[in-house]
Each structure stands twice: as structure tokens, then as C-alpha cells.
Amino acid sequence: MKFTKKPKKEKRIKTKEDKVPFKLKRWVFGLQKEFKRISWAPRNTVIKDFFIIIIIVLLFAGIFFGIDWLLHFVHIVK
């Protein structure tokens, strides 16, 4: 019986891509596909909604500040 040597496997140089686990690659790939499916709102709508939200937040902050100041002024809350 004659034995033959197995050819040596070529050593592959590992790159940064090889260090990323397969599950992470699959997750990123799925994430990219989902981003393509998203229907983004027009820029003008986003800007308009942003300013409306800022105004509402400032309005509520003013209301709560006013109530707090009033309660301190009347000495109900110390």
C-alpha cells in the first residue's frame, strides 16, 4: 500500500472582512435591504414637523416653569 502526501492547503491572509462574524454580516445585509424599503418623508415635511415639535416642547416647558414659579411665589412649595 502506497501512501501519497496530501497537498498542503494554501494559507490565506485574513482581512478585516474575515474577522466579522457571519451573523453580523447577515444582520447588516438585512438592515441595508430594509433601508431601501423605507419611504422617507419629504425634506420640507421633516423640517416643518421638527419646528412644530420644538415649539410644543418650549410651550410645555414654559407652562411647567410658570406653575412652578407660581407655587414657589405663593409659598406652597419650598
Side-chain angles (χ1 to χ4, degrees), residues 7-74:
K8 288 186 177 181
K9 290 183 179 178
E10 291 182 23
K11 288 189 177 180
R12 193 167 161 234
I13 300 171
K14 289 190 175 186
T15 62
K16 287 183 180 179
E17 291 178 356
D18 293 339
K19 294 179 183 178
V20 178
F22 176 72
K23 286 184 179 182
L24 182 62
K25 285 182 184 178
R26 191 172 62 195
W27 180 75
V28 170
F29 178 74
L31 193 64
Q32 288 172 344
K33 287 182 80 172
E34 285 295 323
F35 267 107
K36 290 179 183 176
R37 292 181 190 169
I38 295 173
S39 60
W40 298 99
R43 182 181 175 99
N44 293 339
T45 305
V46 173
I47 292 171
K48 182 180 70 172
D49 291 348
F50 171 77
F51 284 115
I52 290 172
I53 290 169
I54 295 298
I55 290 169
I56 291 171
V57 167
L58 291 175
L59 181 69
F60 275 105
I63 290 170
F64 287 123
F65 177 75
I67 292 171
D68 186 50
W69 179 83
L70 183 65
L71 293 175
H72 279 289
F73 183 74
V74 181

Side-chain angles (χ1 to χ4, degrees), residues 71-72 75-78:
L71 293 175
H72 279 289
H75 298 294
I76 295 176
V77 178
K78 293 183 181 182

